[in-house]
Amino acid sequence: MARIGIDLGTTNSLAVAYKDDKPVKILNSLGSFITPSAVSADDDGKIIVGQPARDRLISHPDRSASEFKRDMGTRTTVVLGGNEYTPEELSSLILKKLKADAEAFLGEPVEEAIISVPAYFDDNSRRATRIAAELSGLNVERLINEPSAAALSYLTKNGYEDGTYMVIDFGGGTLDVSVVDVFDDIIEILAVAGDNKLGGKDFNEAVARDFCKKNDLDYGALSSVEKAVVYRAAERAKMELSSVPMVMMEIPLEQHKYVLTLTNKELIRISKDIFGRIREPVRKAIHDSRKKLEDIDTVILVGGSCRMPTVREFIKKITGIDPDTSVDPDTAIAEGAAIYAAMKNKDLKDVILTDICPFTLGVAVNNDILNDGSKIMSPIIPRNNTLPSSIQRSYSASHDNQTGITLEIYQGENIHPDENLFIGELKLSCPPCKRNEKICDVKMTYDINGILIVDVTTTDGAKATKAFRSNSSVLSEDEIDRMRSKMEASMLIRPEDEKYKALIARAERVYEQSYVETRSIIATHLMNFRAALERQDIIRVRETYKALSDLLDTLEY
Ligand code: AMP
């Protein structure tokens, strides 16, 4: 029975095993290491996961979903083909697919996994990830923070060296910056900061807009097909600029061919705002870690957007450090998770990974400044504190003759408690106190498993203690049971059908994104392929499959 590491990403996911003393990337049933984090419901009730589901986002938007990782731990749901799905259920379908692909690739059952999550994920999101794993049939002993996984992958490749590392994870739609300390086989995250609305898609958009501007086209006024054509060409040009100094964009629109030459210098000019937004999380992570830039020994880059030389140069400029390029930006996190899985398996010497408190824990107190009966948040354990954490604060009476205390406990960064997550409350009586006189000590102890223990001691020595699972508020056991039965009944399409479905999904997407003349050619090829499938004519299936995929390759070059 094998144990794997999984990077369950917002845009893409992948699984890695640890075999023969090294991480081994797992190929999925379509022959790729990367499985897009997209799910689609087929017309016959089967579930499609990965690239074909991503293609169907365009051709069948009401049956397809992506980016649900952003909603993990919330009550958001999406309807696919008439059925409602929670983010946990959608993520469990991705995990179920990764598990099935890993079993086929490794030739043995896979029952255990270490899954990576962003360091800033709160307890609800972490618990949602565990529920998703359980629904997919995977045991998850521990989640690993993405920056710890990236650091682990770097250390395994380059040797364990004590030091302070900055991990910059810049993907398709998010930027996460972490400061990680490595000392005596302990990997400790000191601080995390990020921008969850900044990523490769912003560069694509900037290039697409610039292309239109220079060609006297109004990007906002383009049809959805035209926009998709320009956007795809922009992303392709951006990616090509990672390996060549100049690209020529040529886009046919409305019988006219529009062109633009793009260089990295030009890309920097048109993406000024995007680069500017990279600075803030870097500054904040350094500040929150209580380190200085000079203390950073190594900058580790992960995420697809870190392949851009302009991004690397910019990071070098703002940190003063030439970023390391020894880890593969696409796979480092999953590899780190697999290495950690091997450590748990005792295949490798263990390291200790510490966690940080990704949000502030505190209590609601009277707003003494406004004195209008409103409450404000009084933080006890601040965000970014290393776990386990135990901190005590004293509180005074809010009015004369106060004989009781009601502590309302919240997690979050907003000064208004109502805007934060309510965790629970604790009540006890106390000897009569005057306004502003000390009434009690409150000690909060928060551990790595999300257990919060609140101890209150009044001035006469009376004590009350209550333990909270700060993550138990979103889903009830009944709801989890219902999800379990529903997921057990949901069937992924068979791998042997998947190849054909994937080509159909791709053809339908390209059709949607094409002009009328091209559409009829695609439609003819697609019809021929479908007819061959229906007749189960193996030779014709092979011929029409090749003809259609060759056509799509030419159209998408
Ligand atoms: P991720 O979320 O880490 O999978 O990263 C996806 C993002 O990386 C997308 O915006 C891609 O356009 C971008 N990306 C992937 N490869 C490259 C490359 N070679 N050069 C520039 N950007 C890339």
Side-chain angles (χ1 to χ4, degrees):
M1 191 194 68
R3 204 181 219 174
I4 55 172
I6 292 177
D7 173 2
L8 184 60
T10 310
T11 333
N12 294 312
S13 295
L14 77 156
V16 172
Y18 196 86
K19 286 193 104 174
D20 305 325
D21 300 329
K22 57 178 189 301
V24 179
K25 289 177 265 186
I26 291 166
L27 278 175
N28 66 22
S29 51
L30 295 174
S32 171
F33 294 126
I34 289 175
T35 299
S37 306
V39 171
S40 186
D42 202 357
D43 305 330
D44 58 9
K46 295 257 171 49
I47 297 291
I48 301 170
V49 171
Q51 186 57 47
R54 171 166 295 168
D55 287 334
R56 284 169 60 92
L57 280 168
I58 290 167
S59 58
H60 299 78
D62 53 339
R63 295 188 150 266
S64 315
S66 68
E67 299 215 351
F68 31 83
K69 179 174 171 178
R70 292 183 189 277
D71 297 322
M72 288 294 265
T74 69
R75 287 212 166 258
T76 318
T77 56
V78 286
V79 177
L80 306 185
N83 287 322
E84 199 171 10
Y85 290 88
T86 64
E88 289 85 350
E89 290 172 336
L90 294 169
S91 298
S92 84
L93 293 165
I94 304 283
L95 292 171
K96 201 168 176 174
K97 173 85 176 103
L98 294 174
K99 178 178 185 288
D101 284 338
E103 289 176 341
F105 183 81
L106 299 168
E108 58 180 319
V110 173
E111 280 167 16
E112 294 203 8
I114 299 276
I115 301 178
S116 63
V117 289
Y120 59 78
F121 250 25
D122 67 9
D123 283 336
N124 282 331
S125 324
R126 282 168 198 263
R127 180 150 195 262
T129 308
R130 283 181 181 276
I131 292 170
E134 194 191 323
L135 296 176
S136 74
L138 283 169
N139 292 326
V140 172
E141 191 187 312
R142 222 192 128 165
L143 302 172
I144 183 170
N145 288 310
E146 288 165 1
S148 307
L152 206 48
S153 176
Y154 172 88
L155 294 167
T156 307
K157 271 208 171 84
N158 297 283
Y160 278 76
E161 183 90 28
D162 287 354
T164 305
Y165 297 78
M166 177 178 278
V167 178
I168 299 183
D169 183 353
F170 199 13
T174 53
L175 167 68
D176 298 324
V177 181
S178 321
V179 177
V180 179
D181 211 40
V182 178
F183 181 71
D184 261 1
D185 293 336
I186 298 176
I187 300 179
E188 178 178 341
I189 299 179
L190 301 180
V192 290
D195 184 335
N196 67 5
K197 297 252 156 37
L198 187 68
K201 64 179 170 40
D202 295 291
F203 289 105
N204 307 343
E205 189 89 16
V207 173
R209 285 186 184 281
D210 185 63
F211 179 89
C212 289
K213 197 169 148 208
K214 300 249 174 66
N215 280 289
D216 281 332
L217 292 163
D218 180 355
Y219 184 65
L222 294 182
S223 70
S224 58
V225 168
E226 288 168 332
K227 252 193 197 141
V229 170
V230 176
Y231 184 88
R232 276 185 68 86
E235 177 159 33
R236 204 161 49 224
K238 172 198 79 173
M239 286 166 72
E240 279 176 30
L241 275 182
S242 295
S243 44
V244 297
M246 187 195 281
V247 284
M248 176 85 147
M249 293 175 70
E250 257 188 37
I251 309 179
L253 293 174
E254 295 161 0
Q255 321 288 343
H256 187 83
K257 193 179 272 178
Y258 295 91
V259 292
L260 182 72
T261 306
L262 191 67
T263 59
N264 274 314
K265 197 166 162 205
E266 197 54 19
L267 183 62
I268 294 172
R269 194 189 62 74
I270 62 175
S271 318
K272 231 182 171 153
D273 291 350
I274 306 173
F275 285 107
R277 284 171 64 192
I278 299 176
R279 274 182 199 276
E280 178 52 20
V282 171
R283 189 202 61 75
K284 193 155 185 298
I286 290 283
H287 172 268
D288 285 1
S289 69
R290 298 194 181 90
K291 296 266 181 189
K292 293 198 266 323
L293 256 179
E294 303 82 81
D295 298 327
I296 305 291
D297 300 299
T298 306
V299 175
I300 303 170
L301 301 183
V302 288
S305 298
C306 281
R307 291 195 182 277
M308 295 171 68
T310 47
V311 166
R312 291 182 180 176
E313 275 304 313
F314 186 75
I315 289 168
K316 182 176 170 187
K317 191 170 125 192
I318 59 173
T319 60
I321 299 165
D322 211 354
D324 174 83
T325 51
S326 66
V327 298
D328 180 336
D330 293 324
T331 58
I333 290 175
E335 282 175 0
I339 293 163
Y340 195 55
M343 286 171 172
K344 298 285 117 197
N345 238 3
K346 309 279 179 244
D347 293 346
L348 276 176
K349 183 174 77 103
D350 207 355
V351 294
I352 297 164
L353 302 180
T354 68
D355 260 312
I356 54 159
C357 189
F359 39 71
T360 299
L361 285 161
V363 294
V365 294
N366 280 340
N367 187 341
D368 283 339
I369 298 166
L370 292 180
N371 212 2
D372 59 353
S374 66
K375 302 257 174 155
I376 55 168
M377 184 86 171
S378 164
I380 297 183
I381 299 182
R383 178 171 59 95
N384 276 335
N385 236 46
T386 302
L387 300 182
S389 253
S390 192
I391 297 181
Q392 180 169 307
R393 272 191 73 167
S394 302
Y395 288 91
S396 40
S398 58
H399 54 267
D400 284 338
N401 222 4
Q402 187 170 338
T403 53
I405 302 161
T406 303
L407 272 188
E408 290 172 3
I409 298 144
Y410 287 89
Q411 94 179 28
E413 307 316 312
N414 204 295
I415 187 154
H416 304 293
D418 289 353
E419 299 292 319
N420 294 326
L421 184 68
F422 176 66
I423 305 247
E425 66 176 23
L426 201 160
K427 287 186 179 181
L428 80 164
S429 49
C430 59
C433 281
K434 286 205 190 91
R435 183 174 146 80
N436 291 337
E437 206 173 76
K438 179 174 166 181
I439 192 165
C440 66
D441 287 322
V442 177
K443 187 163 112 189
M444 284 190 168
T445 306
Y446 191 62
D447 75 6
I448 210 155
N449 299 310
I451 309 266
L452 172 70
I453 295 171
V454 182
D455 290 301
V456 187
T457 313
T458 55
T459 44
D460 63 348
K463 270 185 198 268
T465 296
K466 198 162 173 182
F468 301 91
R469 271 206 78 89
S470 55
N471 54 20
S472 56
S473 56
V474 168
L475 290 169
S476 68
E477 280 307 316
D478 277 359
E479 283 171 299
I480 297 172
D481 279 344
R482 261 200 307 279
M483 291 201 297
R484 197 174 290 129
S485 340
K486 184 169 149 202
M487 288 300 106
E488 270 163 16
S490 72
M491 301 274 286
L492 299 181
I493 53 168
R494 295 181 315 163
E496 53 272 37
D497 295 337
E498 194 183 16
K499 188 173 139 190
Y500 300 147
K501 294 252 182 188
L503 187 67
I504 292 172
R506 183 177 170 208
E508 286 174 344
R509 177 195 32 93
V510 179
Y511 178 93
E512 286 277 331
Q513 295 176 326
S514 301
Y515 293 109
V516 179
E517 325 71 270
T518 323
R519 281 186 170 188
S520 60
I521 308 170
I522 301 171
T524 311
H525 278 71
L526 187 54
M527 220 162 56
N528 291 343
F529 178 53
R530 279 201 160 118
L533 281 176
E534 215 140 90
R535 285 202 307 276
Q536 300 194 350
D537 177 342
I538 308 273
I539 296 171
R540 239 347 243 156
V541 166
R542 219 173 281 148
E543 282 169 8
T544 51
Y545 179 94
K546 182 162 184 333
L548 179 55
S549 52
D550 286 352
L551 171 70
L552 298 177
D553 287 347
T554 332
L555 292 174
E556 297 203 288
Y557 70 93

